[in-house]
Amino acid sequence: MMFGNNKDSGFFPVGELAEAKQFRSGFAMAQTVAPTFPVLTAALSHFEYRAIESESEGGGSLAFEAVSHESANLLQISLQVGALNVHWLADASARELRLAMDEWNRAGKAAFALWLPDGAPSNCLFGTLELQSSFEPKSVLPGSREGKSPDTWDVLKAIIAIGNALQDAGVEQLGISNNREAVNILITNRIKKVVHHMSVSMSSDFLAERASGTVH
C-alpha cells in the first residue's frame, strides 16, 4: 500500500507492546503464554467499544501489512474483533517490533489487550489469536531506505498522514457499515523519546500505569 501527503497534523491515541506478565493476575489466557510474550495494547472509546458489543458473536483476525509513504516505511497491524477494526501504525525499522513478530511467528499466535472505557463491565479485554499462517517478518517489514533507519520525525510524519487517511476512510463508512475504525500510534522506543512533544490523546506512561493495575 502506498500513501502520499495527507495533512500535516493529527490526533491519535497511542498503543504499545506490553508483556503478558502484566495481565496474568487477571486473565487465565495470559498464563498460557510466556511472561515476556509481547502483547499489543490500545485504549478504546465508548463508540469503539460499542462496535465490539454490536457483534459479540463475531470472530477475530489479525493482519500485517507493509505501508510505504514518501517519508518512511511503516507496518500496519490490524485487529478485527466484532465490528471493530483496531489499527496500529508502527515504525517498520523498530527492532522491538521485529522481535515481537518473530515471537508471534514461533508461537503461531499473537496477543492483544484492549483497555475499555468507563461504564464497560470490565476495564480490559485480553485475548489471543491464532495466526492464519506462519510468515517471515522480513516479508511484511519493508527494509530501511538507503541502508539506514529513517529519521524519527519522518516516521511520525508518515504515521500522521496514513492515520488521517484511515480515519477519513472510517468516517466515510459511517451510516453505510456498522464497522468502526480505531487508529493508534504504536509507540516504540525511538518514538517514545519524542512523542511527548506531540498532541496525542494519552501518554505511554498512562498506558503503563493502567497495565500495572488490577484487571478483570
Side-chain angles (χ1 to χ4, degrees), residues 81-102:
V81 54
L84 177 65
N85 295 310
V86 183
H87 306 285
W88 289 268
L89 296 175
D91 175 9
S93 67
R95 180 176 180 272
E96 63 266 39
L97 180 59
R98 293 172 183 266
L99 292 174
M101 293 181 70
D102 280 335

Side-chain angles (χ1 to χ4, degrees), residues 94-163:
R95 180 176 180 272
E96 63 266 39
L97 180 59
R98 293 172 183 266
L99 292 174
M101 293 181 70
D102 280 335
E103 195 158 354
W104 293 330
N105 193 39
R106 285 193 297 269
K109 60 183 175 183
F112 65 89
L114 304 178
W115 297 110
L116 305 182
D118 293 340
S122 62
N123 71 341
C124 184
L125 173 66
F126 184 95
T128 62
L129 283 172
E130 300 292 326
L131 300 181
Q132 294 181 353
S133 60
S134 62
F135 63 91
E136 288 295 330
K138 63 183 180 182
S139 68
V140 292
L141 283 172
S144 59
R145 301 179 182 185
E146 300 178 356
K148 59 182 180 181
S149 298
D151 180 81
T152 304
W153 290 106
D154 285 337
V155 171
L156 291 171
K157 181 180 178 182
I159 287 175
I160 290 170
I162 295 169

Side-chain angles (χ1 to χ4, degrees), residues 2-21:
M2 178 70 183
F3 284 90
N5 279 324
N6 182 24
K7 304 179 185 177
D8 58 1
S9 62
F11 188 79
F12 305 96
V14 300
E16 65 177 355
L17 287 168
E19 293 184 336
K21 63 186 177 183

Side-chain angles (χ1 to χ4, degrees), residues 14-20 22-23 36-42 64 75 77 88 90-91 94-101 103-104 110-113 185-189 192 204 207-208 211:
V14 300
E16 65 177 355
L17 287 168
E19 293 184 336
Q22 298 173 244
F23 304 92
T36 58
F37 194 75
V39 179
L40 284 164
T41 69
F64 304 88
L75 178 71
I77 305 174
W88 289 268
D91 175 9
R95 180 176 180 272
E96 63 266 39
L97 180 59
R98 293 172 183 266
L99 292 174
M101 293 181 70
E103 195 158 354
W104 293 330
F112 65 89
I185 298 175
L186 184 64
I187 297 295
T188 53
N189 291 333
K192 213 177 266 189
S204 56
L207 284 178

